[in-house]
Amino acid sequence: MTDLASNSAPRQTTERIAASLPRRYARDSRFRYYGLVAIGLALAFLVLLFVSIVSKGYSAFFQTEIRLLIEFDEDRLDPNGTRDPSVLAGADYGGLVKSSLRGLFPEAESRRDRKSLNRLMSSGAGFVLRDMVTNDPSLIGTAQEVWLPAAADIDMLIKGFIDRSKPASERRVNDKQIAWVDALQERDAIERHFNTRFFSAGDSREPELAGIWGAVVGSFYTLLVTILLAFPLGVMTAIYLEEFAPTNRWTDLIEVNINNLAAVPSIVFGLLGLAVFLNFFGLPRSAPLVGGMVLALMTLPTIIIAGRAALKAVPPSIREAALGVGASRLQVVTHHVLPLAMPGILTGAIIGTAQALGESAPLLMIGMVAFIVDVPTGPIDPATVLPVQIYLWADSPERAFVERTSAGIMVLIAFLVAMNLIAVVLRKKFERRW
Amino acid sequence: MAALEMTTPDAAGNRPPKFSTKNVNVFYGEKQALFDVELDIVENQVTSLIGPSGCGKSTYLRCLNRMNDVVEECRVDGSILLDGHNIYDRSVDVVQLRAEVGMVFQKPNPFPKSIFDNVAYGPRIHGLTSNRAELVELVESSLIRAGLYEEVKDRLDNPGTSLSGGQQQRLCIARAIAVQPEVILMDEPCSALDPIATARIEELIDELRENFTIIIVTHSMQQAARVSQRTAFFHLGKLVEVGDTEMIFTTPQDQRTQDYITGRFG
Ligand SMILES: Nc1ncnc2c1ncn2[C@@H]1O[C@H](COP(=O)(O)OP(=O)(O)OP(=O)(O)O)[C@@H](O)[C@H]1O
Ligand SMILES: [Mg+2]
């Protein structure tokens, strides 16, 4: 103390500060360096993840198709000539495909060979023809060149996922099929085309016919219900708790419980949904409506907590200013506090719904894991959602589902990015200069 | 009947007080912040409240427009009469009260909206004007009376937060005036301002005195002496002395007042 009081004190202090400076700056730059390393690592993993998903999945966006000359034989499709839609829909289109193939490769005579030959084509090829004819019955009696989907195994062969050098017993296509495919390739009658079916169809047992659209629509309806329920409820709860509720033991209890709820494993919400929504209220199984309700329960605490934090961050001086000119408490909230808190509330809501989008466990409990072929047309049709669809495909043994799994993940990420973009646009709209 | 008597001039021709407070005790939870404050505020005068930090000036001021209502653990006892009516009465609407008793805060707190909307907010929520032209006129006259109009007339659409500190405070005064209150409470309105901006606001207060009753909390003796006609000295939650400003600053009755204004504590 006497030291400090003496005349030399200022100089000593400067010297001490000067001596400590290099150490402090070194610490600064070290910290910056650690930060860069952390960001670099995170980015590297992200890139790795994306590269692996895209490299595995992009091939699913293309599908091998074979060009066949199809004779729409009136005798076989509509023997009575009535053009009755039910007759047209029930005709044997698979037969047309088979005879066209036989015309291409007449050398396949034995039963076994014919069976292998027919296996070049997807079982969905007949459906394509059926749709063509029912849309345009005038095709009957003509002959058309049509691109039809090849079987998944042939698709894999063309995409190079089947090793030709392996002995025939160890691969899923035999030597004759390979020879036929090569012959088709020579004639340019087998090509990879953009896979529109993947983006327009529901699930299927046949990989080449399976599409993601059913799950996209299911996820859309589910999230719509989630947002419509959780956002207004969550925001109103946050406003009430933050702006109106008296602080007493009850509100403390509610607060603790909301925080606990945010930490409850999601599958528990699924069990709750099963017990309450399905068994007690008798709502339909596998429906996006119920899925959305369950996910809304799960998302609510996130929105409430984020909403309260955003409301708390609005400076009290704004509230006082509004009260001071005679605004009612509700006017203070709706005119001033809520608009200022909106960007923060939206961030919380988007984090919550993004979580809900990736959630599958609670949906398993309410039957959204079922195999559903039809694209849902409303929130009470049976449906599945993107993560569940991805899980189902990942669980399938066929090689062709591997690429579809990765492609499904890409669609899920695209969905997420689209959602975030909407949120960014909304935030920008609400943000004000301070 | 009692209320009626109070609003009419008494025999000596003295005007009745605008605010008349008696036995005001304020508690924050267990802690008592004001003890039996008894103070009358005269109409169309500037009354300044002085006293050391933490003595309860802001607390008293915030009782007058019931701003303490929002502080949850705060309890106010006693009678506070505005024009003879108890403002803590059940029948009194607090929104109505705050429209009659406006407030300007220590830190300028404009809304993050345009200058125009800042001033127009009060008239809008109270429906004071019936059309856009009237509203524009009211906003402009409020800005003129707050001495801000000349500086901002070309940029009424700019955010209020883009103004300088002194301009923001005058904007807040304009916002308070626009509601056409009878009383304006000011809690250290100049503490964040430089001497020039302070001088402007002091001038402004002097002009506003004609139409409004003003109560101002200040830490500056000079300011109290310059702007106010009456001064009240608070100490440790008690009202020690109140009287004409000149008298308080020249011949204080109480030793504590004497010590405070001569700078012996505070
Ligand atoms: N919200 C509150 N909760 C609890 N106690 C409070 C609260 N506001 C004020 N007090 C207490 O009441 C007393 C008076 O405070 P007040 O703000 O009225 O003082 P002041 O005279 O305005 O002081 P300053 O000149 O520093 O502004 C202080 O002791 C303070 O601690
Ligand atoms: Mg104060």
Side-chain angles (χ1 to χ4, degrees):
Chain A
M1 283 311 287
T2 45
D3 243 33
L4 279 172
S6 72
N7 277 343
S8 65
R11 253 198 52 221
Q12 266 191 7
T13 327
T14 348
E15 272 166 20
R16 267 192 214 158
I17 292 174
S20 73
L21 277 182
R23 220 179 51 233
R24 278 150 71 178
Y25 286 140
R27 217 178 272 168
D28 273 12
S29 58
R30 217 159 43 226
F31 189 78
R32 228 178 355 243
Y33 178 69
Y34 292 151
L36 281 177
V37 169
I39 291 176
L41 268 178
L43 274 182
F45 276 114
L46 201 67
V47 167
L48 199 73
L49 183 77
F50 273 105
V51 166
S52 106
I53 289 173
V54 171
S55 64
K56 272 192 211 147
Y58 83 97
S59 53
F61 297 141
F62 298 94
Q63 161 69 31
T64 307
E65 292 189 312
I66 296 175
R67 188 181 59 206
L68 291 180
L69 182 69
I70 301 288
E71 308 220 10
F72 293 97
D73 198 346
E74 177 150 19
D75 290 344
R76 293 172 72 173
L77 297 178
D78 190 15
N80 301 327
T82 55
R83 299 291 189 265
D84 177 4
S86 64
V87 174
L88 290 184
D92 174 25
Y93 294 96
L96 295 186
V97 176
K98 284 175 190 162
S99 22
S100 168
L101 276 173
R102 219 172 306 151
L104 271 179
F105 301 107
E107 68 272 19
E109 282 182 340
S110 71
R111 259 180 72 91
R112 269 186 66 183
D113 284 358
R114 282 200 184 163
K115 215 169 160 185
S116 326
L117 182 61
N118 291 337
R119 285 227 181 110
L120 290 184
M121 303 306 297
S122 162
S123 60
F127 300 134
V128 175
L129 295 180
R130 184 191 62 195
D131 291 345
M132 283 174 72
V133 171
T134 42
N135 281 341
D136 181 12
S138 69
L139 284 174
I140 294 174
T142 65
Q144 305 278 336
E145 293 218 311
V146 185
W147 286 98
L148 293 171
D153 290 336
I154 304 305
D155 190 36
M156 292 296 102
L157 181 73
I158 293 290
K159 286 173 179 167
F161 294 131
I162 289 179
D163 189 359
R164 291 177 184 228
S165 60
K166 272 191 182 165
S169 57
E170 284 179 26
R171 49 178 146 78
R172 289 180 58 89
V173 287
N174 59 34
D175 292 335
K176 283 207 171 117
Q177 285 175 318
I178 291 181
W180 289 323
V181 167
D182 289 345
L184 285 170
Q185 247 169 342
E186 252 162 52
R187 288 183 231 172
D188 290 330
I190 186 162
E191 272 176 17
R192 273 192 270 175
H193 291 152
F194 183 71
N195 193 353
T196 48
R197 193 173 288 106
F198 184 72
F199 295 103
S200 62
D203 198 8
S204 169
R205 294 279 182 229
E206 309 298 332
E208 72 274 14
L209 301 178
I212 197 83
W213 189 244
V216 170
V217 174
S219 269
F220 173 78
Y221 281 128
T222 309
L223 283 190
L224 194 70
V225 173
T226 304
I227 293 173
L228 287 183
L229 283 178
F231 188 71
L233 268 180
V235 172
M236 283 196 288
T237 312
I239 289 176
Y240 178 75
L241 287 177
E242 203 51 53
E243 304 286 331
F244 294 99
T247 41
N248 56 29
R249 231 182 294 145
W250 288 113
T251 39
D252 284 352
L253 194 71
I254 291 173
E255 181 165 358
V256 169
N257 274 311
I258 288 172
N259 292 343
N260 281 339
L261 227 56
V264 167
S266 58
I267 196 152
V268 176
F269 289 104
L271 281 169
L272 183 80
L274 176 66
V276 177
F277 299 142
L278 296 192
N279 294 345
F280 188 74
F281 287 110
L283 291 172
R285 199 165 275 276
S286 311
L289 176 70
V290 182
M293 284 159 79
V294 169
L295 292 180
L297 286 179
M298 201 192 83
T299 316
L300 256 179
T302 314
I303 296 184
I304 295 173
I305 292 170
R308 291 188 67 175
L311 290 170
K312 243 190 213 122
V314 175
S317 63
I318 295 294
R319 281 172 245 252
E320 290 199 326
L323 285 173
V325 293
S328 68
R329 282 173 93 174
L330 188 64
Q331 284 173 326
V332 173
V333 171
T334 52
H335 295 168
H336 301 283
V337 179
L338 195 56
L340 291 173
M342 214 46 179
I345 294 178
L346 280 176
T347 306
I350 224 60
I351 290 173
T353 31
Q355 236 174 20
L357 173 65
E359 200 56 68
S360 52
L363 301 180
L364 305 185
M365 293 280 115
I366 54 155
M368 286 190 91
V369 72
F371 172 72
I372 287 144
V373 176
D374 293 323
V375 176
T377 56
I380 49 171
D381 285 357
T384 189
V385 292
L386 282 166
V388 173
Q389 184 68 76
I390 290 165
Y391 164 75
L392 286 174
W393 284 346
D395 212 28
S396 302
E398 286 93 340
R399 176 64 183 80
F401 273 126
V402 174
E403 56 174 27
R404 279 180 163 66
T405 307
S406 293
I409 293 172
M410 284 157 74
V411 170
L412 178 64
I413 291 173
F415 199 112
L416 202 68
V417 169
M419 257 170 58
N420 280 333
L421 277 181
I422 294 174
V424 167
V425 170
L426 282 178
R427 275 191 71 128
K428 274 273 158 315
K429 251 191 76 174
F430 280 112
E431 230 149 50
R432 293 180 190 219
R433 265 186 293 161
W434 200 230
Chain B
M1 278 312 286
L4 214 88
E5 274 164 31
M6 299 194 76
T7 50
T8 49
D10 61 18
N14 285 337
R15 300 262 288 291
K18 188 76 187 166
F19 267 113
S20 169
T21 60
K22 272 200 188 72
N23 303 328
V24 176
N25 288 294
V26 178
F27 303 83
Y28 289 107
E30 293 292 290
K31 187 177 176 301
Q32 188 163 4
L34 285 182
F35 299 84
D36 282 328
V37 175
E38 183 163 345
L39 178 61
D40 286 352
I41 307 288
V42 183
E43 197 167 9
N44 291 7
Q45 278 198 354
V46 179
T47 306
S48 59
L49 312 181
I50 59 170
S53 186
C55 66
K57 308 179 294 291
S58 299
T59 302
Y60 179 75
L61 199 69
R62 291 164 61 93
C63 288
L64 300 181
N65 67 345
R66 290 182 54 179
M67 213 57 174
N68 283 331
D69 287 13
V70 283
V71 181
E72 215 165 304
E73 74 271 15
C74 181
R75 203 178 86 237
V76 179
D77 278 351
S79 85
I80 300 176
L81 308 182
L82 169 63
D83 293 328
H85 299 284
N86 193 342
I87 61 169
Y88 278 87
D89 209 77
R90 272 179 180 278
S91 62
V92 170
D93 191 295
V94 66
V95 168
Q96 178 80 32
L97 172 72
R98 290 192 190 132
E100 283 167 29
V101 184
M103 188 157 193
V104 176
F105 298 84
Q106 179 170 3
K107 235 183 80 198
N109 54 357
F111 300 129
K113 298 174 186 263
S114 72
I115 293 172
F116 183 90
D117 286 340
N118 260 285
V119 184
Y121 181 70
R124 272 194 187 130
I125 58 171
H126 296 301
L128 296 185
T129 54
S130 48
N131 57 41
R132 174 88 191 167
E134 274 182 39
L135 182 66
V136 172
E137 205 190 304
L138 178 57
V139 168
E140 283 178 0
S141 70
S142 304
L143 283 170
I144 290 169
R145 286 165 88 180
L148 186 63
Y149 187 67
E150 283 305 313
E151 289 156 68
V152 300
K153 61 181 175 195
D154 311 318
R155 45 177 178 142
L156 290 177
D157 290 334
N158 288 17
T161 41
S162 69
L163 298 173
S164 78
Q167 288 172 329
Q168 286 190 16
Q169 195 61 301
R170 274 179 281 151
L171 178 64
C172 291
I173 293 174
R175 182 175 65 190
I177 296 173
V179 187
Q180 300 166 350
E182 293 162 18
V183 183
I184 301 177
L185 311 175
M186 299 183 171
D187 193 350
E188 299 179 46
C190 302
S191 65
L193 306 183
D194 68 289
I196 295 173
T198 303
R200 290 232 46 178
I201 291 192
E202 285 178 8
E203 258 172 57
L204 177 61
I205 291 172
D206 209 45
E207 288 164 23
L208 292 176
R209 178 158 65 93
E210 254 180 62
N211 302 302
F212 304 96
T213 306
I214 294 173
I215 307 167
I216 179 173
V217 171
T218 176
H219 273 284
S220 151
M221 300 306 127
Q222 292 88 343
Q223 185 170 60
R226 280 193 301 263
V227 300
S228 71
Q229 287 75 52
R230 273 165 65 85
T231 298
F233 173 66
F234 283 74
H235 187 236
L236 295 177
K238 295 196 177 80
L239 175 66
V240 173
E241 197 170 345
V242 59
D244 288 348
T245 300
E246 239 186 78
M247 195 203 81
I248 293 276
F249 280 98
T250 50
T251 53
Q253 305 296 307
D254 197 285
Q255 185 59 37
R256 288 168 291 181
T257 320
Q258 170 88 33
D259 289 349
Y260 183 71
I261 58 176
T262 53
R264 225 161 291 166
F265 68 82

